[in-house]
Amino acid sequence: MSDPSRNRKPRIRAALAVAAVTGLGATALTALPAAAAGEAVTVQYRQSATGSDQVEPWLKVVNTGTSGLPLSQVKVRYYFKADAGASYTYACSWAVKGCANLTGTFGTLAHPTATADRYLEVGFTAGAGSLAPGADTGDMQLRFHRSDWQPLNQNDDYSFGPAQTAYSAWSKVTATVAGAPVWGTSPTGDDPTPTPTPTDPTTPPPTGAALFDDFDYTGHTDPAVNAHGWSVRSNAGGPGVPGATWAPENVTFAKEGTNSIMNLRTSTAGTGESTRHTEILTRATKFRNGTYAARVRFSDAPLSGPDGDRVVQTFFTINDLKAPMADDYAEYDFEYLPNGGWGEPANILYTTSWETYRPDPWEAVNQHSESRTSHDGWHDLVLTIDDSAVVYYVDGREFGRHDARYLPERPMSINFNQWLIDLAGQTSTSPRAYDQKVDYVLHVKDQVLTPAQVAAKVGAYRSAGTAFEDTVPAAP
């Protein structure tokens, strides 16, 4: 995000979440697919709070199969009825496997029911290990609450069991192993098709208006950068550390193997005057519905110097806010915070769809999805916008699905930036620098591509030796 006026409480950048939604729906489980025949789990549940402060689903996953079960393949969903317009915050109070080895992501059902339109999906990192046959995870003492801490009502939540004061098998919580349903009965009418599906087409769609850039440039002053419609930011202002400079010289290009790579470097020595942010964006505001994609390398650790700065690494689209709460504003973000920030203590990836906001006093209308786990390394990021939904994908899997009310009314620009929220995360005055890399960017106008089709289209450009194309017409 590049608008310097966008400050929020408790966050400094306004490009984040207020409403938690994401992902795929689920359906009533009547028979296990063949792929899951060798796997079997039971989910045990007990409630730890019946009041209106927060939901506390305590869970155990039991391996009832005959072979070892890597927990990184397991996802558990707890279904609930959300309050209108509310966002939710997940937390882990304590877990035998370690809270750091659990992830919590909120999702929205494709077919809401009277008792469920959202879910909390709990996953495991590789650090959680495996379960031997007959073993269980032990306690996972989880909780979530409205982000504004307003009262909530659990009594209309599908998965809530007020009488469940001791652990026992609970079929209103579902589980999958490697994407295949293995336990529980979900709210009726939703389909848990894995993403991507086995029949996901890999051929590019018919040729249409598109922007593709392989970022094959010699440097930020290469005349082709400007000729291809890019602006490397140098003007002052927010977001981020007050007094920081947006440094065009920190946007560089180099070969890595056979691919050309763009690098955005952010550096600081602990003062506003020493802080250098980076941003590159299209000058044209002409992109609206269709598919957006980029391959981006997020970094958990600095290239040099001490770690800990609250850095934000991004790929997003945006247009300008013409007036506070103007309903034709739009912004769609991938934002990775490797060291946390905005109240988050550790790494977290957000996707956020914006309808509008007011900077002062702060008010926002948006939805977000989140994953509290490391995303260090290369990732394929895909965003699709049609007339019904905004959908985010990370590495071929659906990450967030946001409502039609967040669709754009006006065209947008395409942006990448990296910047520091503040200097509170790392108070050292030692110089340090963070890198974010970008392999390519793609936009296909008015066509929704699957992640596999994106990969095929990029491959077709590269096979043809096409490093740049822009056939997207100017906005009327």
Side-chain angles (χ1 to χ4, degrees):
M1 156 186 181
S2 57
D3 185 341
S5 69
R6 300 180 68 173
N7 298 318
R8 72 167 292 175
K9 301 175 182 179
R11 302 173 179 176
I12 294 181
R13 182 174 184 238
L16 279 211
V18 174
V21 298
T22 186
L24 298 171
T27 189
L29 308 180
T30 56
L32 301 186
E39 308 286 358
V41 303
T42 296
V43 180
Q44 296 182 356
Y45 158 81
R46 60 156 295 192
Q47 59 84 4
S48 181
T50 59
S52 63
D53 189 356
Q54 57 187 336
V55 181
E56 295 189 31
W58 290 12
L59 304 172
K60 289 183 183 180
V61 175
V62 185
N63 181 3
T64 53
T66 57
S67 59
L69 176 65
L71 282 170
S72 61
Q73 298 182 8
V74 177
K75 300 287 188 184
V76 177
R77 287 183 178 178
Y78 180 97
Y79 302 89
F80 64 99
K81 183 72 172 178
D83 297 331
S87 67
Y88 293 85
T89 299
Y90 156 84
C92 172
S93 298
W94 185 78
V96 172
K97 291 291 184 180
C99 285
N101 293 319
L102 273 62
T103 63
T105 303
F106 291 101
T108 189
L109 291 175
H111 303 286
T113 71
T115 59
D117 56 9
R118 305 274 182 90
Y119 58 80
L120 169 67
E121 182 173 86
V122 180
F124 301 85
T125 69
S130 299
L131 291 182
D136 65 62
T137 58
D139 278 349
M140 296 186 293
Q141 297 181 5
L142 313 178
R143 56 189 173 88
F144 64 91
H145 56 82
R146 284 184 50 146
S147 300
D148 58 8
W149 281 104
Q150 291 299 306
L152 49 78
N153 177 23
Q154 297 190 64
N155 292 320
D156 60 355
D157 292 348
Y158 176 83
S159 294
F160 179 53
Q164 293 291 115
T165 57
Y167 278 115
S168 63
W170 191 243
S171 63
K172 289 190 174 184
V173 174
T174 62
T176 59
V177 174
V182 295
W183 171 261
T185 302
S186 65
T188 303
D190 292 276
D191 185 357
T193 306
T195 306
T197 64
T199 57
D200 196 11
T202 58
T203 56
T207 301
L211 166 70
F212 172 73
D213 202 331
D214 219 4
F215 295 116
D216 191 5
Y217 303 110
T218 59
H220 76 280
T221 59
D222 187 333
V225 174
N226 182 70
H228 290 169
W230 294 102
S231 175
V232 183
R233 184 177 176 184
S234 60
N235 60 298
V241 174
T245 299
W246 292 85
E249 66 274 13
N250 282 9
V251 178
T252 58
F253 304 88
K255 289 285 187 181
E256 290 193 4
T258 60
N259 290 346
S260 52
I261 301 296
M262 177 172 66
N263 190 77
L264 283 70
R265 178 163 298 173
T266 293
S267 59
T268 189
T271 65
E273 294 73 18
S274 68
T275 301
R276 300 290 182 268
H277 295 157
T278 48
E279 180 168 23
I280 185 170
L281 64 153
T282 61
R283 293 193 307 277
T285 304
K286 63 178 183 178
F287 309 97
R288 190 173 170 182
N289 285 15
T291 299
Y292 300 82
R295 183 164 173 80
V296 179
R297 190 187 191 285
F298 298 129
S299 299
D300 279 355
L303 178 72
S304 60
D307 198 0
D309 289 289
R310 295 168 179 166
V311 62
V312 184
Q313 301 172 346
T314 77
F315 166 44
F316 64 103
T317 69
I318 192 172
N319 60 31
D320 58 321
L321 182 73
K322 293 184 176 297
M325 300 303 287
D327 61 4
D328 61 350
Y329 176 75
E331 179 180 347
Y332 305 95
D333 303 325
F334 289 91
E335 295 177 304
Y336 181 55
L337 283 62
N339 292 316
W342 295 315
E344 293 292 334
N347 39 33
I348 186 168
L349 176 65
Y350 288 103
T351 61
T352 311
S353 300
W354 286 80
E355 169 63 17
T356 190
Y357 73 98
R358 177 172 56 205
D360 188 23
W362 177 254
E363 183 178 358
V365 182
N366 60 21
Q367 289 185 337
H368 85 276
S369 307
E370 62 196 37
S371 176
R372 289 178 173 83
T373 188
S374 172
H375 282 76
D376 184 69
W378 284 102
H379 296 282
D380 295 305
L381 310 178
V382 176
L383 161 68
T384 65
I385 303 174
D386 60 16
D387 291 331
S388 61
V390 179
V391 186
Y392 298 85
Y393 298 87
V394 176
D395 298 330
R397 296 188 64 84
E398 188 174 308
F399 184 92
R401 180 178 294 268
H402 298 171
D403 299 349
R405 57 182 166 163
Y406 299 97
L407 298 175
E409 286 86 8
R410 289 190 291 122
M412 302 168 288
S413 62
I414 297 174
N415 307 52
F416 298 90
N417 66 19
Q418 184 182 219
W419 49 281
L420 302 182
I421 296 171
D422 53 35
L423 297 172
Q426 170 56 266
T427 59
S428 170
T429 57
S430 298
R432 59 268 191 189
Y434 298 83
D435 280 6
Q436 173 188 341
K437 296 181 179 182
V438 183
D439 185 7
Y440 70 83
V441 66
L442 172 70
H443 170 70
V444 180
K445 177 179 169 60
D446 296 331
Q447 294 182 14
V448 172
L449 275 63
T450 66
Q453 286 177 316
V454 167
K457 193 165 184 68
V458 172
Y461 278 120
R462 288 177 166 170
S463 295
T466 302
F468 176 82
E469 175 184 83
D470 185 2
T471 58
V472 179

